[in-house]
Amino acid sequence: MTSFNKSNLLHFGVLAGLVILFFILPTYHVGVLSRVMVMAIYAMGFNLLFGYTGLLSLGHAMFFAAGMYGFGLAIKFGGFPVPAAFVVGVLSAALLALVVGLLALRTAGVAFMIVTLMFAQTAYLVVLYFGKYTRGDEGFILQQAERSLFGLDVTTETGRYFTAFTLFAVCFIALAKLVQTPFGKRLVAIRENEERARMLGYDAGRYKLYALVISGAVSGLAGVSYALLFGYVGATFSTVQYSIFPLLWVLLGGAGTTIGPFIGVLFMFYLIDISSGYTNAYMLIAGVVLVLLTVFAPKGIAGTLKARVFPWMP
Amino acid sequence: MEFGPHLMLASLEGAVISAILVLTAMGLSIVFGVMRVVNVAHGEFFMLGAVLAWYITTLLGGHPALGFGVALIVAPLLVGCLAAFADRVILKRINYDPDRTIVATIGMLYIIQQTTLMTFGPEARPVEAPFNHRLSLPWFEFGENGFAMTWPWGLSTTSYKLFVIGAAVVVLIALWVFLTRTKIGLIMRATQQDSETAQAFGVPVGQVYSWVFGLGAGLAALGAVLVVPIQQAHYLMGHDPLLLAFIVVIIGGLGSLPGTVIAALLIGMSDGIISVFFSPTLAKIIATFLVAMVLVFRPQGLLGKTAP
């Protein structure tokens, strides 16, 4: 079997597995998995920029929050129907990514990280400043009636799981295909050696901007999905912590692999789920994992598997 | 209160903020300058300093000045040793690779913060100032009766706040003497300029890095011990100093020490003054956004040289 077929098989295997899990897992874990899939969309958006293009942003929470608030505010104050609000949410994240990209991509390396961190901090403070509409840290709830998607009730366990699954599947397959296209290959070329990519005639700056906009839009879509499926919109999701999480997930799962982000989120969710049974300082686990990863396994779970066992892995 | 005295009060608050900020930012700046490492855990070393000060003063009891005096020396030393240890165990192993160091220090941030949460608890705890006299300040006015000195109600400060400003100045001068007049300082500057050449001349670069990382953390802890009688010790208190110190270091030019001092004064004073007259959130929004812009259009900062 060619590696192309093998990776297709892997992707559809994961999706099939997720469908089967719904029928065999108890309700609690079905709920956790819906959350994992939504956050995996976020991680995949981050992975496109960090894993494939080699740009480390420490401010992705602003895109997640832009999607979330674009969607939530459009419903709450604009009275938009859900599909239109969905589009508004994703577009506002993409627009924010475009503006941030035009400014921040003038810098590189450490400066890029700090600039994105600062922009995200500004975004967080702006959310707090307009607390009259955003309700600040407290956040606001979207009522059940405000969240029906084409007549489908997403508040039931089944509706939520399969909506999350559909969104996840679409992003998962689309991004896996995207990185196989010439466009995706160019992003990897920029990650590996930007000078050389430029010498070969590729407009590296433009490709980085495209990558950032797509990455921001996918992260925004994750924010929209979260607001849609769990009905909560709050400033917590724009804090620095939520910029760090996707980095953690992607590093843990394996940067620059298609399956890595999902594995990372799944692993981390259960790690925190189990450890929060013992202590309220569960972020300690996140810290220890981050340090151990950077020291011992900088390639993450999927990355290490790819390097050691399955060289065909996408 | 009228505008003039109000402004003076705001500037005094600003000066206290600047004093703490300059110590914290100096630590961050030295670490970046010598090691080219962005230490995201810097704010947590600050927090550790404050928490240790609380433990030491509570443990010793007696007169507040006794505990405070001990804390002023012991807390920065302990934090410095811890940081040097972390450098040895973690940062050295990943070869100070810029991306991975940031990730590792983020990990350290959570480890320190959450360990403090587990041991010290989520409460904010006060440390008593060693001395705290209220000093009324005069205000000079040119009125109908010519030049007059008045004592407006509310225009006052405490002796402790003046002490904080004085202490920061003393530490800064000591640091300057240390870096420019001693052999260790010379070695540090040599490592900063070109670590490979320094190594070739027999400078133990690895050890210097540990020392510098410890020194940087110690400076943050010192700033925290000084601030803890004004602001209580809390496990999340490292967040704001980290962001502010980042802002200062960036505006001043990464690694430029004189730039750091000037920027700390600028940011501290304007933070004090703006948040007295305007909404603190708005002030923070403007400051954070401006810093991002400085970095976008002038990546080397105000006084920094172009990046090598």
Side-chain angles (χ1 to χ4, degrees):
Chain A
M1 227 191 307
T2 62
S3 68
F4 182 70
N5 278 340
K6 274 187 189 168
S7 48
N8 267 345
L9 202 65
L10 176 73
H11 292 152
F12 286 106
V14 168
L15 295 180
L18 280 171
V19 175
I20 295 167
L21 278 178
F22 172 77
F23 293 103
I24 55 174
L25 282 180
T27 323
Y28 172 72
H29 293 281
V30 166
V32 174
L33 264 188
S34 329
R35 213 168 280 249
V36 165
M37 285 189 286
V38 170
M39 285 310 178
I41 300 177
Y42 184 22
M44 289 189 299
F46 183 82
N47 189 30
L48 182 73
L49 193 68
F50 173 63
Y52 289 97
T53 323
L55 288 170
L56 174 48
S57 144
L58 291 179
H60 254 53
M62 64 182 148
F63 306 130
F64 189 87
M68 188 174 234
Y69 277 104
F71 176 77
L73 295 177
I75 286 185
K76 196 136 185 109
F77 295 100
F80 281 55
V82 170
F86 199 101
V87 176
V88 169
V90 176
L91 280 185
S92 40
L95 188 68
L96 180 66
L98 180 70
V99 174
V100 166
L102 284 174
L103 291 168
L105 283 174
R106 297 169 57 104
T107 62
V110 172
F112 180 76
M113 299 176 208
I114 299 177
V115 169
T116 46
L117 184 74
M118 293 290 168
F119 276 133
Q121 185 68 16
T122 313
Y124 169 64
L125 291 169
V126 166
V127 169
L128 291 189
Y129 190 71
F130 291 100
K132 204 172 127 196
Y133 306 103
T134 62
R135 313 280 307 131
D137 276 326
E138 190 187 315
F140 59 85
I141 307 254
L142 294 173
Q143 297 306 325
Q144 188 176 350
E146 295 172 312
R147 299 198 269 133
S148 91
L149 185 65
F150 302 119
L152 178 75
D153 187 4
V154 295
T155 52
T156 63
E157 205 58 73
T158 318
R160 180 187 296 163
Y161 188 88
F162 281 101
T163 315
F165 174 77
T166 313
L167 291 167
F168 170 75
V170 168
C171 291
F172 184 57
I173 298 297
L175 283 172
K177 291 287 171 221
L178 181 74
V179 296
Q180 294 300 330
T181 59
F183 173 77
K185 301 282 186 202
R186 278 167 212 157
L187 295 186
V188 175
I190 290 171
R191 176 191 73 190
E192 291 301 320
N193 192 334
E194 190 174 333
E195 281 298 291
R196 191 197 291 162
R198 199 171 287 146
M199 288 267 287
L200 290 172
Y202 296 117
D203 186 348
R206 179 191 297 215
Y207 282 105
K208 287 201 284 190
L209 184 63
Y210 290 159
L212 181 59
V213 172
I214 299 173
S215 168
V218 175
S219 306
L221 190 136
V224 174
S225 313
Y226 195 94
L228 172 69
L229 297 178
F230 300 98
Y232 174 73
V233 175
T236 330
F237 293 99
S238 56
T239 52
V240 180
Q241 195 158 326
Y242 272 84
S243 295
I244 305 294
F245 276 140
L247 171 66
L248 182 67
W249 294 327
V250 168
L251 276 174
L252 183 61
T257 61
T258 50
I259 189 83
F262 176 70
I263 295 181
V265 178
L266 189 68
F267 193 91
M268 206 61 214
F269 258 71
Y270 274 97
L271 198 65
I272 287 180
D273 191 52
I274 294 165
S275 62
S276 61
Y278 300 98
T279 166
N280 58 352
Y282 56 86
M283 281 304 290
L284 177 65
I285 312 288
V288 173
V289 169
L290 269 180
V291 169
L292 291 180
L293 272 175
T294 44
V295 175
F296 296 109
K299 285 188 184 136
I301 298 171
T304 311
L305 279 179
K306 184 179 177 177
R308 299 254 170 93
V309 196
F310 308 115
W312 51 266
M313 249 172 66
Chain B
M1 230 188 304
E2 286 166 56
F3 180 75
H6 206 150
L7 183 68
M8 184 171 161
L9 199 62
S11 326
L12 261 174
E13 289 301 313
V16 176
I17 298 175
S18 306
I20 304 296
L21 194 53
V22 79
L23 294 181
T24 318
M26 205 47 124
L28 199 64
S29 188
I30 288 179
V31 168
F32 184 84
V34 177
M35 305 166 66
R36 300 273 133 193
V37 156
V38 177
N39 178 15
V40 186
H42 198 66
E44 303 315 305
F45 291 129
F46 179 87
M47 179 273 287
L48 264 189
V51 168
L52 281 177
W54 181 83
Y55 272 118
I56 292 169
T57 46
T58 319
L59 207 68
L60 286 178
H63 192 266
L66 171 74
F68 185 80
V70 174
L72 206 53
I73 297 163
V74 175
L77 274 180
L78 281 178
V79 174
C81 290
L82 179 78
F85 174 74
D87 171 73
R88 278 279 134 134
V89 176
I90 301 168
L91 299 185
K92 197 177 159 70
R93 280 171 171 249
I94 54 176
N95 257 328
Y96 305 100
D97 174 80
D99 288 11
R100 285 167 73 193
T101 322
I102 290 203
V103 180
T105 50
I106 292 173
M108 279 156 60
L109 180 159
Y110 284 123
I111 293 176
I112 298 175
Q113 185 191 83
Q114 300 291 312
T115 313
T116 312
L117 171 64
M118 282 166 79
T119 50
F120 178 77
E123 305 89 15
R125 303 182 189 201
V127 169
E128 207 180 323
F131 44 84
N132 211 359
H133 315 285
R134 181 153 287 278
L135 303 174
S136 292
L137 296 173
W139 179 253
F140 303 97
E141 218 162 357
F142 212 68
E144 292 164 13
N145 311 327
F147 200 69
M149 192 170 83
T150 56
W151 300 83
W153 185 84
L155 180 59
S156 66
T157 185
T158 63
S159 55
Y160 183 74
K161 285 185 176 170
L162 295 180
F163 165 74
V164 169
I165 300 171
V169 173
V170 170
V171 172
L172 270 188
I173 293 172
L175 189 67
W176 181 73
V177 169
F178 173 71
L179 284 175
T180 55
R181 297 283 182 273
T182 66
K183 185 150 185 230
I184 306 178
L186 183 69
I187 289 175
M188 280 186 186
R189 283 183 295 137
T191 315
Q192 167 163 19
Q193 279 177 10
D194 188 337
S195 60
E196 278 179 22
T197 313
Q199 181 118 45
F201 276 84
V203 171
V205 171
Q207 278 181 36
V208 173
Y209 279 5
S210 298
W211 275 99
V212 167
F213 203 65
L215 175 68
L219 279 172
L222 187 65
V225 178
L226 285 173
V227 85
V228 82
I230 305 175
Q231 187 197 341
Q232 301 183 340
H234 183 249
Y235 82 103
L236 287 177
M237 73 189 288
H239 191 77
D240 278 353
L242 175 70
L243 269 178
L244 277 178
F246 255 129
I247 293 176
V248 163
V249 171
I250 291 164
I251 298 258
L254 285 165
S256 153
L257 299 188
T260 307
V261 177
I262 295 172
L265 281 173
L266 201 71
I267 299 283
M269 295 302 281
S270 50
D271 194 60
I273 293 172
I274 292 176
S275 41
V276 166
F277 290 105
F278 301 97
S279 139
T281 317
L282 188 63
K284 273 191 201 160
I285 292 179
I286 296 169
T288 333
F289 188 71
L290 281 182
V291 169
M293 284 307 167
V294 165
L295 204 51
V296 167
F297 291 105
R298 205 181 145 75
Q300 70 274 34
L302 294 181
L303 291 191
K305 301 177 190 80
T306 39

